[in-house]
Amino acid sequence: MADAMWLTEEAVDAAARGRVFCVDNAGAEDASSLRLRSEIVEFMKRPLVSDPSEADVVLRIGYADAGLDGGEAFRIRRAGTSAESIVIEGNTAVAALYGLYAWIRRTATGEGVPEGPEGYASVPQQAMRMIDHWDQVDGSVERGYAGESIFFGDLDSNDHTDFRDFPERPGRDPFRGDMARIESYARLLASVGINAIALNNVNVRGRAAELMVQPLLGRVARIARVFSGFGIKLFLAINFAAPKKLGGLDTADPLDPAVRAWWSGVIDGIYNAIPDFGGFLVKADAEGEPGPMQYGRDHKDGANMLAEPMARHGGAVIWRAFVYNCRQDWRDRTTDRAKAAFENFAPLDGQFADNVILQVKFGPMDFQVREPLTPLIGTLEHTNLMVEFQITAEYLGHQIDVNYVLPQWLRVANFDTAAPAELLGQAGDARVKAIVPRLSPNPSCSGYAGVANVGMDDNWTGNKLAQANLYGFGRMCWDGEATAESILDEWLALTFPQAGAAALEAIRGIMLTSNQTYENYCAPLGVGFMVVPGLHYGVSVNGYEYDRWGTYHFADRDGMGVDRTVATGSGYTAQYRPENAAMYEGLDTTPDELLLFFHHVPYGHVLHSGKTVIQHIYDTHFAGVEAVDGYIRAWDGVRGSIGEDDWANVAERLQRQRENAVAWRDQINTYFHRMSGVDDEHGRTIYA
Amino acid sequence: MADAMWLTEEAVDAAARGRVFCVDNAGAEDASSLRLRSEIVEFMKRPLVSDPSEADVVLRIGYADAGLDGGEAFRIRRAGTSAESIVIEGNTAVAALYGLYAWIRRTATGEGVPEGPEGYASVPQQAMRMIDHWDQVDGSVERGYAGESIFFGDLDSNDHTDFRDFPERPGRDPFRGDMARIESYARLLASVGINAIALNNVNVRGRAAELMVQPLLGRVARIARVFSGFGIKLFLAINFAAPKKLGGLDTADPLDPAVRAWWSGVIDGIYNAIPDFGGFLVKADAEGEPGPMQYGRDHKDGANMLAEPMARHGGAVIWRAFVYNCRQDWRDRTTDRAKAAFENFAPLDGQFADNVILQVKFGPMDFQVREPLTPLIGTLEHTNLMVEFQITAEYLGHQIDVNYVLPQWLRVANFDTAAPAELLGQAGDARVKAIVPRLSPNPSCSGYAGVANVGMDDNWTGNKLAQANLYGFGRMCWDGEATAESILDEWLALTFPQAGAAALEAIRGIMLTSNQTYENYCAPLGVGFMVVPGLHYGVSVNGYEYDRWGTYHFADRDGMGVDRTVATGSGYTAQYRPENAAMYEGLDTTPDELLLFFHHVPYGHVLHSGKTVIQHIYDTHFAGVEAVDGYIRAWDGVRGSIGEDDWANVAERLQRQRENAVAWRDQINTYFHRMSGVDDEHGRTIYA
């Protein structure tokens, strides 16, 4: 029996206990209205009546008088003046479903339902709120840290995670077939507003390429139907070479008529099986994956070729912008991986079809704990955009280390791109969260995507506290006003409804500081990738320094950091809008925490904080371990206030986190002490 | 059809063509005399007659008048005065077999058969001349670079090498069953005097533990019979925990009577199936393998327990001395892995049974391109010793890079241990090759072992030129006077009989310098382990620097090297006999090439060569690549003089070697330039 995550029985009952429900549907029944009824009767185990006057909670669907925009917005209001009887309304059943979960949430947090006819109304900020699974048909999950895939693999098995080899097992049924778990998952996603999911890894290996055709497509359709009721559209990651691999053609050239006809037929076949299919997710010409470049075409040619037949069915093509030279030579100082996405895609702005979406990682590198915003966001003016986040903790501690990542993500979402006023409309808001829909020509094809962090582990996410990142990702997508604190408080109230205030405060204290703590003992001042190659957990200062991935710190005996200025470096800063370009170009105006991302400085350089770079490195690395020690003490105090399994799960991982933090502290401090020769001002132990 | 290696048809025919053979056996026929007859008729395809007077070549076995000592010495002499008719004689058929192969060799080299009744007589220097296979029952070879195991795996398959995961495949037949290849291999080994072989990896995983019992034992026996005819005794590596794993006992305590009885029964069973079984090879209490220590016993208890029943059958127990703390903490400067073997085994000197052999790696670390001799050799006075060499090129270029290793091995064999005169007898020789039999209480239980470098690749060794290391290992074991040059000349004459003098000189020039070239672009001045962790190919300066394996260079901005002196360091130097201890303790008396193994010095320290340490690093790393460039040019000149397949094999690998040498050069030079800040005196390119 899998963990209920934030939809605990206590939280659900707190809202629903003793209530009688009615679904008052002005329109026709659909998959979501049936699901809504089932949620009341089978999930919440409450009576459902047909006469609204007999119900305490009326789910009112499709009445124009609600005055709601679009198919997802909902309102929760009191029926008349009674605090006991409420109405949840929306233009669609999915909207009512969102309202139902919101009502449970607001009951748990004590926010409740405001008085007055407006009640609590909510409209999602991002149109597409998507989860990308990097699940593979052998049951493994690339960069997964919570057990095997929930979609693929053998029933009940949960053996391995994060495989990189891909065993071909011809003839084997790749589907796990655990439909109960998939239903639970779909409910959890819908409860935080997720409305799209990509089923399989963007590196489409082996039989994964066949998911889009029969016979595997039939099994995909069965999964899609579960998600469909919850308002979640299913996407498939595809292999651009499929016309050759599956179609028997001798080319996958996107301008070849036979290739176009083949894809068109495949897409028609998918919609025959999955009428509300979302579309394709494509990693092309990146890290060894096939793509249009090998035929002398460009990304636009590849994406638009797929988008044309997709458009006939209302589908979309999500094209990943994670394209860079992964055969870089560390000796070559003229190439800067940070520049790659902009260089590849800025020239194509305005050339993509209306149903193509460019999915851009939030930073220019790869999901490090500290990166600036990618310069593509706020500079592309005619391209549908999705921002890609990574919920799975590839570079953030593998769900061993506690790392509540919402503070980091919301820094991204709230970053001011400095896009010019004439592009912003009345709101005048150039922050990422506003600019993404604003600058997407087809705003319904824009939003956020997050790489899933779940697997077959009992608690879904390995570390119990990592559930908060999945929760928070959905909430961040929906609610533009949410803060890291407000989201965490919601999650705590829902997840640990029986915990007392002291315990909740202790957990809150750990989680709210955890991302900064991880940064403290990990990458200093915007340097990333000092990790064990391949694994991406644990410290290896030079693990990537002499490698082909374009991820360097350039530390020598005098100083460290990557000069990305126009004046003396790679010129990356010029990719930003002028205000931000000037900020990062200037040594004095660059924020401390990104200093080494933009500048190469001596170890004695004095930060705005007043510390030297080398002393900052020592201080943060000692502080990181001290913080983890504090977490361990605080967590000891939580024992007994939450379920023992959850407590023990986190307690065990905190010990491993401490080992990790100590390894980081000692290796980073020793490495830079050996390099710089500068002693710690406070005389703490730095090993020779 | 596998490569004939040095037993080429041309080389064999040069001796045997037109000859009539006779086996004149004074004793009873045995497996080896039958094999000898078969070698003449089936391998050499020559007529075999029963009347010596009708033969040109008489193999004379078991006649006391030959005046030879022991069962392996042979003599080749002219019959009367004729250079055409010869006699090859020995006390046993195996000795005659050795003489037969020696005659082929001496014909190929032009050395021929000296005049006079003494002819050419030869007696092996080392009693045990053994090949250790690290082959695993899944067909993989740990640290193998020439394809799958020739013993295990599926018939004709050759998919993978050097796996570290071990897939259990219950029920599968682990044996490859390619008896023709095993026979060829046994012939090649016998032709260079090998007389013992360990069939399986010392890390005894999965079903490998079952090789010593039925049903797998029956299959092992079939292989043993092939080797037996060639005078090669078969050994098995065993898992010390077998009484628990296989025997159903709840302990493997070597002093437990039930454990002792169990092993005794197993050993009786083995000899029932393999009457001339050699014995066990044991890696215990090392790198995670089980052993007696977990029961509070010591190595002597474990080894002697096995030796007792083994002695009843004439078998031996080879106990590996490769024991160290592989969970060391890089922060702990008090532990020195180099000291471990001596610390573990010196106190046990004299306590091992007469048929126990301690197998000691030649250096204190692990088969690096430059290490001092292990201090166990020449200091143990009452323990049977075998010196372990590694023919497979784990740290020497993976049989991609050309690396003829005999110059390095013979440096070891000829190293003067400075053992005191009273131990040396009349010969007064304290060099390794003399001291090993001399100080072994039971000299027949002493010798050299080499880890095999062969696999299912067509040419057996991946790189054609790596065959010379297998050849040379055997020759070094047998012939105490052989030099790296003489061995190479033999191998060249046998292997490339059709090549002209210019081509042979070109190949000779490459191979004789190749070990030094590898050292040049790899480890400077006795520092090792700057390799990619796990893989052990390619450069990673800090790959092991902050790890648990005890292999550090301690480079900082001021200097580098490991202080192992008594005065200021780990005290390792004290493990040597006084003369050598004094040599290594002194900064001025330590040879340049081992300086950083024994001392931590500033980059500006001036070597005996007159260069500073840092300039030496730069110079050797530039020189390494230049040498490889020279090899490539020289190899181009060889084209057409040897078989095109062999030429192309090496040509392709030379290109990869160049990439490796360049990577080493640039990363080492940049790393130490970043560290030291010292520029190259000659202004060559060192990347920032």
Side-chain angles (χ1 to χ4, degrees):
Chain A
M1 179 66 190
D3 190 314
M5 297 226 255
W6 51 85
L7 288 181
T8 52
E9 197 175 330
E10 297 90 332
V12 173
D13 278 359
R17 190 181 301 116
R19 305 293 187 119
V20 174
F21 289 74
C22 172
V23 174
D24 178 10
N25 189 353
E29 290 292 306
D30 61 13
S32 294
S33 65
L34 294 174
R35 171 53 66 182
L36 182 60
R37 294 176 189 279
S38 152
E39 287 296 278
I40 294 162
V41 176
E42 297 186 50
F43 172 62
M44 299 168 63
K45 308 214 183 301
R46 300 309 312 155
L48 180 64
V49 299
S50 53
D51 182 349
S53 68
E54 292 174 13
D56 308 298
V57 181
V58 177
L59 293 132
R60 214 164 155 267
I61 303 168
Y63 287 92
D65 64 3
L68 292 163
D69 285 335
E72 300 191 314
F74 63 85
R75 175 182 292 110
I76 314 171
R77 60 176 169 81
R78 299 184 184 187
T81 57
S82 164
E84 294 306 309
S85 293
I86 67 159
V87 175
I88 299 172
E89 55 194 352
N91 294 334
T92 67
V94 171
L97 204 52
Y98 290 146
L100 179 66
Y101 299 127
W103 170 63
I104 292 170
R105 181 183 77 235
R106 293 180 65 85
T107 304
T109 60
E111 294 165 294
V113 181
E115 291 181 44
E118 288 306 310
Y120 171 78
S122 187
V123 54
Q125 188 185 40
Q126 300 303 323
M128 292 189 67
R129 306 175 299 277
M130 182 164 187
I131 298 289
D132 290 351
H133 277 258
W134 288 356
D135 295 22
Q136 315 203 94
V137 293
D138 66 344
S140 67
V141 179
E142 185 162 318
R143 307 305 176 186
Y145 311 108
E148 289 186 357
S149 166
I150 62 173
F151 299 119
F152 305 106
D154 301 320
L155 193 62
D156 295 332
S157 79
N158 190 25
D159 285 343
H160 55 253
T161 57
D162 197 22
F163 267 34
R164 273 166 299 156
D165 283 334
F166 195 86
E168 293 274 358
R169 284 189 272 182
R172 177 184 156 280
D173 174 9
F175 291 92
R176 184 176 300 278
D178 185 347
M179 301 311 287
R181 193 167 179 112
I182 293 173
E183 181 184 312
S184 295
Y185 185 53
R187 172 179 302 114
L188 287 159
L189 294 187
S191 77
V192 293
I194 298 299
N195 65 0
I197 189 166
L199 197 67
N200 61 309
N201 187 12
V202 292
N203 296 314
V204 183
R205 305 182 182 116
R207 295 191 74 200
E210 302 169 31
L211 291 170
M212 63 182 183
V213 294
Q214 296 293 1
L216 299 189
L217 177 61
R219 304 293 299 276
V220 172
R222 194 171 155 208
I223 294 172
R225 278 197 290 279
V226 176
F227 282 109
S228 183
F230 287 100
I232 300 168
K233 287 191 174 190
L234 188 139
F235 288 69
L236 288 174
I238 58 108
N239 186 311
F240 201 80
K244 292 165 70 179
K245 290 187 173 213
L246 303 185
L249 304 183
D250 58 5
T251 179
D253 179 354
L255 299 194
D256 184 286
V259 171
R260 300 174 76 90
W262 186 84
W263 278 113
S264 182
V266 165
I267 289 167
D268 289 347
I270 295 173
Y271 279 94
N272 193 41
I274 309 173
D276 65 344
F277 181 67
F280 287 157
L281 173 61
V282 191
K283 176 177 180 179
D285 289 312
E287 296 184 326
E289 294 297 308
M293 311 286 249
Q294 65 197 93
Y295 302 102
R297 315 305 181 186
D298 63 17
H299 293 286
K300 165 250 310 169
D301 297 324
N304 291 350
M305 178 269 293
L306 295 170
E308 186 183 320
M310 202 65 88
R312 293 199 302 268
H313 302 283
V317 173
I318 304 174
W319 197 266
R320 287 177 94 234
F322 186 57
V323 176
Y324 68 100
N325 173 13
C326 69
R327 309 284 320 174
Q328 191 178 334
D329 191 322
W330 62 270
R331 291 163 288 211
D332 165 22
R333 290 287 188 109
T334 66
T335 302
D336 181 0
R337 168 169 163 182
K339 296 169 73 177
F342 187 93
E343 288 176 340
N344 275 290
F345 289 96
L348 300 175
D349 191 25
Q351 299 184 45
F352 287 102
D354 192 51
N355 60 332
V356 171
I357 305 162
L358 198 62
Q359 184 171 303
V360 186
K361 291 191 182 189
F362 70 77
M365 300 298 282
D366 192 12
F367 300 135
Q368 302 301 290
V369 67
R370 182 70 69 168
E371 288 187 48
L373 182 75
T374 172
L376 278 174
I377 301 175
T379 53
L380 294 189
E381 300 180 6
H382 312 287
T383 303
N384 298 322
L385 275 188
M386 284 178 79
V387 189
E388 184 172 327
F389 298 88
Q390 196 178 36
I391 313 172
T392 191
E394 176 178 356
Y395 292 98
L396 299 184
H398 285 200
Q399 288 146 235
I400 298 165
D401 301 31
V402 178
N403 198 330
Y404 176 62
V405 72
L406 268 295
Q408 181 183 354
W409 290 344
L410 285 166
R411 234 171 23 230
V412 172
N414 289 312
F415 185 82
D416 190 328
T417 65
E422 64 268 25
L423 296 176
L424 303 181
Q426 281 191 323
D429 190 345
R431 291 179 295 175
V432 170
K433 63 188 178 189
I435 209 87
V436 164
R438 174 78 198 166
L439 293 189
S440 291
N442 176 358
S444 72
C445 282
S446 73
Y448 295 167
V451 181
N453 66 342
V454 303
M456 286 300 291
D457 279 2
D458 283 347
N459 69 7
W460 297 86
T461 53
N463 189 321
K464 173 75 180 175
L465 303 184
Q467 294 177 356
N469 291 328
L470 182 61
Y471 180 89
F473 174 74
R475 295 291 293 132
M476 172 180 82
C477 293
W478 182 288
D479 184 351
E481 302 307 311
T483 66
E485 292 79 4
S486 71
I487 290 171
L488 180 57
D489 287 337
E490 290 172 12
W491 180 77
L492 287 168
L494 287 160
T495 302
F496 301 119
Q498 297 166 321
L504 290 180
E505 193 52 38
I507 306 172
R508 190 177 192 273
I510 292 170
M511 293 177 73
L512 269 183
T513 57
S514 59
N515 184 256
Q516 181 63 53
T517 292
Y518 191 83
E519 182 178 357
N520 280 350
Y521 59 74
C522 170
L525 301 168
V527 163
F529 290 100
M530 291 185 182
V531 289
V532 175
L535 183 66
H536 298 173
Y537 185 82
V539 55
S540 177
V541 176
N542 278 353
Y544 280 112
E545 186 63 11
Y546 298 94
D547 215 327
R548 61 187 174 88
W549 300 94
T551 55
Y552 314 116
H553 53 65
F554 298 132
D556 62 20
R557 73 202 311 266
D558 301 317
M560 66 183 297
V562 187
D563 186 349
R564 293 192 160 104
T565 64
V566 172
T568 55
S570 73
Y572 165 73
T573 56
Q575 294 183 343
Y576 289 93
R577 294 285 187 181
E579 293 88 329
N580 288 333
M583 174 176 67
Y584 292 137
E585 179 77 9
L587 187 58
D588 291 341
T589 48
T590 300
D592 281 353
E593 63 271 15
L594 285 170
L595 180 70
L596 301 180
F597 192 92
F598 287 104
H599 302 278
H600 186 93
V601 301
Y603 293 114
H605 175 86
V606 179
L607 300 169
H608 296 112
S609 70
K611 290 181 182 179
T612 61
V613 165
I614 189 71
Q615 191 60 39
H616 175 92
I617 291 174
Y618 297 152
D619 286 350
T620 48
H621 285 79
F622 285 111
V625 175
E626 286 159 19
V628 178
D629 283 335
Y631 295 169
I632 291 171
R633 287 192 300 272
W635 194 254
D636 281 342
V638 170
R639 191 166 196 173
S641 299
I642 65 172
E644 180 66 11
D645 284 355
D646 289 340
W647 183 85
N649 164 268
V650 175
E652 184 265 346
R653 280 162 198 256
L654 281 170
Q655 292 299 331
R656 290 157 69 192
Q657 176 168 7
R658 186 175 193 285
E659 285 174 26
N660 190 36
V662 168
W664 275 94
R665 178 194 67 192
D666 290 344
Q667 290 188 41
I668 293 278
N669 284 350
T670 293
Y671 185 88
F672 287 103
H673 185 261
R674 286 184 182 181
M675 269 286 183
S676 70
V678 180
D679 290 334
D680 173 40
E681 286 176 4
H682 306 297
R684 292 164 292 193
T685 300
I686 296 179
Y687 296 89
Chain B
M1 180 68 189
D3 190 314
M5 296 225 256
W6 50 85
L7 289 180
T8 52
E9 197 175 331
E10 297 91 331
V12 173
D13 278 1
R17 191 181 301 116
R19 305 292 188 120
V20 174
F21 289 75
C22 171
V23 174
D24 178 10
N25 189 352
E29 291 291 308
D30 60 14
S32 295
S33 65
L34 295 174
R35 170 55 65 184
L36 182 59
R37 293 175 190 279
S38 149
E39 287 297 274
I40 293 162
V41 177
E42 298 186 48
F43 172 63
M44 298 167 65
K45 310 218 184 297
R46 299 310 312 154
L48 180 66
V49 298
S50 51
D51 182 349
S53 68
E54 294 174 11
D56 309 297
V57 182
V58 177
L59 293 132
R60 218 165 152 263
I61 303 169
Y63 288 92
D65 65 1
L68 292 162
D69 286 334
E72 300 190 314
F74 62 86
R75 174 183 293 109
I76 315 171
R77 59 177 169 81
R78 300 184 185 188
T81 56
S82 163
E84 294 306 308
S85 292
I86 67 158
V87 175
I88 299 172
E89 55 194 354
N91 294 335
T92 67
V94 171
L97 204 53
Y98 290 146
L100 179 66
Y101 299 126
W103 170 63
I104 293 170
R105 180 183 78 235
R106 292 179 65 85
T107 305
T109 60
E111 295 166 294
V113 182
E115 291 180 44
E118 289 307 311
Y120 171 78
S122 187
V123 54
Q125 189 186 38
Q126 300 301 324
M128 292 189 68
R129 305 175 301 276
M130 182 165 186
I131 297 289
D132 290 350
H133 277 258
W134 288 356
D135 296 22
Q136 316 203 97
V137 293
D138 67 343
S140 68
V141 180
E142 185 161 319
R143 308 304 176 186
Y145 311 108
E148 289 186 357
S149 166
I150 61 174
F151 300 119
F152 306 106
D154 301 320
L155 193 62
D156 295 332
S157 79
N158 190 25
D159 285 344
H160 54 251
T161 58
D162 196 24
F163 266 34
R164 274 167 297 155
D165 283 333
F166 195 88
E168 293 274 358
R169 285 188 273 182
R172 177 184 157 280
D173 174 9
F175 291 92
R176 183 178 299 279
D178 185 347
M179 301 311 287
R181 192 168 179 111
I182 293 173
E183 181 185 310
S184 297
Y185 185 54
R187 174 178 301 113
L188 287 158
L189 293 186
S191 76
V192 293
I194 297 299
N195 65 359
I197 189 166
L199 197 69
N200 61 309
N201 187 12
V202 291
N203 297 314
V204 183
R205 305 183 183 117
R207 294 191 74 201
E210 302 169 31
L211 291 171
M212 62 182 183
V213 295
Q214 297 292 2
L216 298 189
L217 177 61
R219 305 293 299 277
V220 173
R222 196 173 153 208
I223 294 171
R225 277 197 292 279
V226 177
F227 283 109
S228 183
F230 288 99
I232 300 169
K233 287 192 174 188
L234 187 139
F235 288 71
L236 288 173
I238 58 106
N239 186 311
F240 201 81
K244 292 164 69 179
K245 290 186 173 218
L246 303 183
L249 304 184
D250 57 5
T251 178
D253 180 354
L255 300 193
D256 184 286
V259 171
R260 299 174 76 91
W262 186 83
W263 278 112
S264 182
V266 166
I267 289 167
D268 288 347
I270 295 173
Y271 278 93
N272 194 41
I274 310 173
D276 65 343
F277 181 67
F280 287 157
L281 173 60
V282 191
K283 176 177 179 178
D285 289 313
E287 295 183 326
E289 293 297 308
M293 310 286 248
Q294 66 197 92
Y295 303 101
R297 315 306 181 186
D298 63 18
H299 292 287
K300 165 249 311 169
D301 297 324
N304 291 350
M305 178 270 290
L306 296 170
E308 187 182 319
M310 201 64 86
R312 293 200 303 268
H313 302 283
V317 172
I318 304 174
W319 196 266
R320 288 178 94 235
F322 186 57
V323 175
Y324 68 99
N325 172 14
C326 69
R327 308 283 322 172
Q328 190 179 333
D329 191 322
W330 62 270
R331 291 164 287 212
D332 165 23
R333 289 287 188 110
T334 66
T335 302
D336 180 1
R337 169 169 162 181
K339 296 168 73 177
F342 187 92
E343 288 176 340
N344 276 289
F345 290 95
L348 300 175
D349 191 25
Q351 300 184 44
F352 288 102
D354 192 51
N355 61 331
V356 171
I357 306 162
L358 199 62
Q359 183 170 302
V360 186
K361 292 191 181 188
F362 70 77
M365 300 298 281
D366 192 11
F367 301 133
Q368 301 301 290
V369 68
R370 182 70 70 168
E371 288 188 47
L373 182 75
T374 170
L376 278 174
I377 300 175
T379 54
L380 295 188
E381 300 180 6
H382 312 286
T383 303
N384 298 322
L385 275 188
M386 286 177 78
V387 189
E388 184 173 327
F389 298 88
Q390 196 177 37
I391 313 173
T392 191
E394 176 178 355
Y395 291 99
L396 299 184
H398 284 200
Q399 289 146 235
I400 297 165
D401 301 32
V402 179
N403 198 330
Y404 176 61
V405 73
L406 269 294
Q408 181 182 354
W409 291 344
L410 285 166
R411 233 170 27 227
V412 172
N414 290 312
F415 186 82
D416 190 327
T417 64
E422 65 267 25
L423 297 176
L424 303 180
Q426 282 191 322
D429 190 345
R431 290 179 295 176
V432 169
K433 62 188 178 188
I435 209 87
V436 164
R438 175 77 198 166
L439 293 188
S440 292
N442 177 0
S444 72
C445 283
S446 72
Y448 295 166
V451 181
N453 67 341
V454 303
M456 286 299 292
D457 279 2
D458 282 348
N459 68 7
W460 297 87
T461 53
N463 189 321
K464 173 75 181 175
L465 303 184
Q467 294 177 356
N469 292 328
L470 181 60
Y471 180 88
F473 174 74
R475 295 289 294 132
M476 171 180 82
C477 293
W478 183 287
D479 184 350
E481 302 307 309
T483 65
E485 292 79 3
S486 71
I487 290 172
L488 179 58
D489 288 337
E490 292 172 10
W491 180 78
L492 286 169
L494 288 161
T495 302
F496 301 119
Q498 298 164 320
L504 290 180
E505 192 52 39
I507 305 174
R508 190 176 192 272
I510 292 170
M511 292 178 73
L512 270 182
T513 56
S514 60
N515 185 254
Q516 181 63 54
T517 293
Y518 190 82
E519 181 178 357
N520 279 351
Y521 59 74
C522 168
L525 301 167
V527 162
F529 290 102
M530 292 184 180
V531 290
V532 176
L535 183 65
H536 298 175
Y537 186 82
V539 54
S540 177
V541 177
N542 278 353
Y544 279 113
E545 186 63 12
Y546 298 95
D547 215 328
R548 62 187 174 87
W549 300 92
T551 55
Y552 314 116
H553 54 65
F554 297 134
D556 62 21
R557 74 201 312 264
D558 300 317
M560 66 184 297
V562 186
D563 186 349
R564 293 192 160 106
T565 64
V566 172
T568 54
S570 73
Y572 165 73
T573 57
Q575 294 184 344
Y576 288 92
R577 293 285 187 181
E579 293 88 331
N580 288 333
M583 173 176 68
Y584 292 137
E585 178 77 9
L587 187 57
D588 291 339
T589 49
T590 301
D592 281 353
E593 62 271 16
L594 285 170
L595 180 71
L596 301 180
F597 193 92
F598 287 104
H599 301 279
H600 186 93
V601 301
Y603 293 112
H605 174 86
V606 178
L607 300 169
H608 298 110
S609 70
K611 290 181 181 179
T612 62
V613 165
I614 189 72
Q615 191 59 39
H616 175 94
I617 291 174
Y618 297 153
D619 286 351
T620 49
H621 286 79
F622 285 111
V625 175
E626 285 159 18
V628 178
D629 283 335
Y631 295 169
I632 291 171
R633 286 191 299 272
W635 196 253
D636 281 342
V638 171
R639 191 164 197 176
S641 300
I642 64 172
E644 179 67 11
D645 284 354
D646 290 339
W647 184 86
N649 165 267
V650 175
E652 185 266 345
R653 279 161 200 256
L654 280 170
Q655 292 299 332
R656 289 157 69 190
Q657 176 169 7
R658 187 175 193 285
E659 286 175 26
N660 189 36
V662 167
W664 275 94
R665 178 194 67 192
D666 290 344
Q667 290 188 39
I668 293 278
N669 284 351
T670 293
Y671 184 89
F672 288 104
H673 185 263
R674 286 184 182 181
M675 269 287 183
S676 70
V678 179
D679 290 334
D680 173 39
E681 285 176 4
H682 307 296
R684 292 163 292 193
T685 300
I686 295 178
Y687 295 89

